[in-house]
Amino acid sequence: MFKPIVLGLLVLVLGVAASPATAATPLPQGSEPVQLDPAKFSTRVDNPYFPLIPGDRYVYREADGEDKQRVVVSVSERTRLIANGITARVVHDRVTEHGKVVEDTFDWYAQDSEGNVWYLGEDTVECRNGRIENHSGSFEAGADGAQPGVIMAANPAPGLEYRQEYYAGEAEDRAQVLSLNEQAEAPFGFFTGVLLTKDLVPLEPRVSEYKLYAPGVGLVVAVQTSGGEGREELLRINHDQRIELPSQRRRCQA
C-alpha cells in the first residue's frame, strides 16, 4: 500500500536541485569532535520545522508490512545536564505494539543561538513482556567518545548535509536536505511548504528514509525507501498535556 507514495517521493527528489548549501556555522559531518559553548544553547526549541513546546504530545501511526505500531512523542518540562556541559530538553518517545511497550526512549535536545537544533543523546530501552530487555543504542554527547549532531538546521537549503548523531558503532545517522517546497498529507492534515530530508544510516547501508517536516508542526510523514516498507504519519497533536516521565522500573509498562 506504500509503493505509490514512495514512488511519488522519488519523482519529487529527482526534480530537486542538489546544489551545495552552507550554513552560518558549518554543521558537523562525520566523526569529528565539536566544541560547543553551553552559554550559546537553550532548552527553548522554537525552530519552525522542529518545535519542542513543553506539554505537546505527538501521536504517530507506524506501519511496516503487517506490523503496526503506535508512537507517542511527549515534550516534557524536564531538562538534563549533558556530559558536554549543555542543558537539554527531555523528550519522551514510546513505541507500543498491540498495547505493549516495545521501546521507550528519553531523547535530549537543545537549540543554539543560531537556531540549529542539536541532538545530544538518548536513553533507550527495548522491552519484552513488560521488562527491560536491553539498552542498545543509548549514548550521551561528551561521554565515551559520543558526539552531538544536528536534528534540524537553522537555515535548511537543498544540498545541506549534516550528521544527526555520532557514537561509533552504535549511532552514526546523517541527513541531507532535498527540498523546502513539498506538500504532505497525514491524518492530522494537509501541508504545503514542507521540508523534505533524506536520512541515511551508515551502519545499515541499505536503509534510507525520507522525512517531511511541516513548518510550525514538525515531522508529519516519514517513508522508508530502502531496507523496509515503513511509513510513519502524524495522527494528532495534543497541547497543554501533563507530561509525566516514567521511572526506570516502569519504562516498559504501558
Side-chain angles (χ1 to χ4, degrees):
M1 62 182 288
F2 306 117
K3 291 182 179 179
I5 296 167
V6 173
L7 289 175
L9 284 174
L10 287 172
V11 171
L12 289 172
V13 171
L14 289 174
V16 171
S19 57
T22 58
T25 299
L27 302 183
Q29 300 298 316
S31 61
E32 74 273 14
V34 292
Q35 299 297 323
L36 303 177
D37 182 357
K40 295 182 179 180
F41 280 78
S42 172
T43 57
R44 179 180 178 179
V45 179
D46 58 6
N47 183 303
Y49 295 108
F50 203 86
L52 296 177
I53 301 173
D56 279 2
R57 177 174 285 134
Y58 295 73
V59 181
Y60 295 89
R61 176 173 59 211
E62 184 172 341
D64 188 350
E66 296 182 356
D67 297 328
K68 294 180 174 57
Q69 297 179 330
R70 184 173 183 262
V71 182
V72 179
V73 179
S74 304
V75 184
S76 78
E77 292 277 1
R78 191 85 58 88
T79 62
R80 176 187 173 94
L81 179 62
I82 305 301
N84 66 357
I86 294 173
T87 299
R89 174 71 55 198
V90 179
V91 176
H92 183 218
D93 187 321
R94 173 170 279 183
V95 183
T96 59
E97 187 172 333
H98 304 301
K100 296 182 178 180
V101 181
V102 296
E103 186 176 276
D104 190 84
T105 302
F106 299 141
D107 292 307
W108 307 316
Y109 302 97
Q111 184 170 293
D112 67 22
S113 57
E114 294 180 1
N116 300 298
V117 183
W118 289 75
Y119 187 39
L120 300 169
E122 63 182 66
D123 175 3
T124 298
V125 298
E126 295 181 357
C127 305
R128 182 186 293 271
N129 299 323
R131 297 178 179 273
I132 295 176
E133 187 172 36
N134 62 59
H135 279 82
S136 177
S138 298
F139 73 98
E140 182 174 349
D144 195 26
Q147 291 292 323
V150 170
I151 201 69
M152 184 56 65
N155 300 295
L160 180 65
E161 299 182 12
Y162 46 90
R163 76 164 182 234
Q164 296 175 311
E165 55 188 4
Y166 185 79
Y167 184 38
E170 295 287 342
E172 301 182 14
D173 295 6
R174 56 191 178 89
Q176 179 184 22
V177 176
L178 298 176
S179 174
L180 294 172
N181 193 32
E182 304 302 331
Q183 58 187 33
E185 186 168 11
F188 184 67
F190 174 78
F191 305 93
T192 58
V194 172
L195 166 65
L196 172 63
T197 67
K198 180 180 182 180
D199 289 13
L200 297 173
V201 184
L203 297 175
E204 300 178 72
R206 295 189 61 180
V207 174
S208 65
E209 186 176 36
Y210 292 148
K211 291 184 177 179
L212 295 122
Y213 299 86
V217 177
L219 180 67
V220 291
V221 175
V223 179
Q224 197 167 349
T225 59
S226 179
E229 300 178 350
R231 174 181 169 89
E232 184 176 352
E233 52 189 4
L234 180 61
L235 300 180
R236 64 180 180 273
I237 303 175
N238 298 318
H239 303 291
D240 300 319
Q241 300 296 293
R242 182 178 179 182
I243 308 298
E244 296 184 356
L245 302 180
S247 64
Q248 194 69 16
R249 67 183 182 84
R250 295 185 60 84
R251 292 188 63 182
C252 289
Q253 299 176 21

